[in-house]
Structures are given as structure tokens and as C-alpha cells.
Amino acid sequence: MTWGAAILPRDLRQEITDAIKASEPAWLAFVEDNREAAGGQPLAVKYVPARYATTYRKLPNKGLFIGSSNFTWGRGVYVTGVQEPLSTAIYGRVGVVSRFDPSGWKVFDARDPANEQLYLRWLHTQPTYPEAVVTVHSNYWLHRFRNQFREQFEIDVVLFHPDEKDAGGWYTYPRHTWMAVSDWESRQKLSREDYSTRFVDVWLTILIEEEFTPDTPALTRTPHFMLSGGAPAPLSPVLVRNAYRNNAVVRVES
């Protein structure tokens, strides 16, 4: 147990521990829905800028990069399951698909409003919480707290609903599931920015015609082209699975 976890009120610590345990059935269902094939490993999708495309047109490659701390749930790799293959296309034109092994992962399902409230209760117990709300350093502390929360409870993956979307709501739906996945330098200590060991066989599988620009404030992203004048044609997860298996590329028109 970390020092931070040890100083928590015992009832709150137990409630969070129970919430992690209670998140397991939803996680197992998510894993099953996103398997490559029956009995196979699940598949994740991540979008990157086009300048990285050549990186993922060859195997082996370095894989997926661990993002900075300044994201929704702190430092980690942010992906979706293959069943929602366009959900994060707002972040880049190149969709890379990879396998991952979820065996033994501890999950915190932040899609559940009750769990979200647990995190807020945890936040209010932190000795440095005033630094986050009454000083100029809010951005630093609030993101740091999310890392500390995951470290204290050894959380491998946080499930959450999108907090950004495309302006038309054509790619990203409010009920989609996004994942923040932890890599560990040692247990209870998140890895620093580097390439993840969680995701393997990373391959360029989806190529998006559209390009997006963050709006102000950056709650939505506006598409540049909209060549069809509306939403893109639905992208079948089966088509993505087949393309990945065959080292092919699926193209999605604007």
C-alpha cells in the first residue's frame, strides 16, 4: 500500500477497492466484445498524426507511445476497442490497431457516475488539494492527482466516456468507451513517457480522409473537408478486423 492510500479514511479506501472489484464484469464483457476472433486477444485502436504513418507500415516497430500526464486520466496510452473504430479519429488520420493481453488487469470504470463520485471524494482528501483549486497551478496538480490515484490502487485501465468529440457528433458518440491504460515502471509507479509494453503487433489499418482542428474551447473538433456533406459511412468492426489480419488498410472517406 502506498503512503497516499494508507492515509485515506478506511471506509473510502474500502469503497474504492470494492468499486474496482465491481468494475470487473463490465471490463470482461468489453474484452469479449473486442476480441480479434473467438478465443483470440482483444484489439485496440489508436489514431496518430499522418507524419507517423510510415512507422506503422512495418513490423516490428516500437509500438504505441505513452502519452503525457496532461490527458483525461493522466499518463498512459489512450485507445478504444475495435468495436468503435472511428471514435478517436478526431486525433489523427492514421488508425493503428494492436493486440493486448488483459489478463489480471485491474480496472476502474469511470463511466459509472457512482465511481466518478468516489474519485471526487478521494480528491478532496488529498493534502495538496488546495493547491489545485486556489493557486495558479491547477493544471499541474489536477493531472498529477489522476496519476496518484491510479498508482495508489494499482489500476491498469480506466474506462471512461469521451470528453471531446467532433463538432457534428459523426465520429465520436457520448456513450462510446475510451481507455487510459497504465504501464508500470514498478508496481505503484507509472512508467515515464516511453513506448508501451502493453500493446503488440501494432499495424496501420485505418486511413481517415478527414482532418480536424480543435475548437475554442477544445471540447469539440471541427472537420476541414466534409466532402460528403455529412457523416462518414459506418465502418464495420469486422472489416477492420479482417484488414488487420491481412495487413491491409481500410480507407474512410470524408
Side-chain angles (χ1 to χ4, degrees), residues 61-107:
N61 52 59
K62 291 184 177 180
L64 301 183
F65 195 73
I66 301 169
S68 73
S69 299
N70 298 323
F71 297 127
T72 305
W73 278 95
R75 190 186 312 139
V77 178
Y78 286 75
V79 295
T80 65
V82 72
Q83 284 294 113
E84 296 167 349
L86 291 180
S87 187
T88 56
I90 58 176
Y91 297 118
R93 298 178 69 179
V94 175
V96 295
V97 176
S98 60
R99 299 181 176 100
F100 64 98
D101 181 0
S103 302
W105 284 16
K106 292 175 66 176
V107 58

Side-chain angles (χ1 to χ4, degrees), residues 2 5 8 12-14 16-17 20 106 122 148-156 184 187-188:
T2 65
L8 290 175
L12 177 58
R13 186 168 64 240
Q14 188 60 54
I16 295 171
T17 300
I20 292 169
K106 292 175 66 176
W122 173 90
Q148 292 175 348
F149 178 76
R150 290 158 57 210
E151 289 174 336
Q152 286 182 14
F153 292 93
E154 301 181 12
I155 294 168
D156 295 293
W184 300 102
R187 208 59 183 167
Q188 301 177 339

Side-chain angles (χ1 to χ4, degrees), residues 9-22 108 114-115 118 121 153:
R10 184 176 298 179
D11 61 336
L12 177 58
R13 186 168 64 240
Q14 188 60 54
E15 284 184 66
I16 295 171
T17 300
D18 291 344
I20 292 169
K21 183 65 176 176
F108 183 74
N115 290 348
L118 276 179
R121 285 174 55 197
F153 292 93

Side-chain angles (χ1 to χ4, degrees), residues 11 26 35 48 128 154 176 184 197 246 252:
D11 61 336
R35 290 196 186 277
V48 299
T128 48
E154 301 181 12
H176 279 173
W184 300 102
T197 62
N246 295 312
V252 179

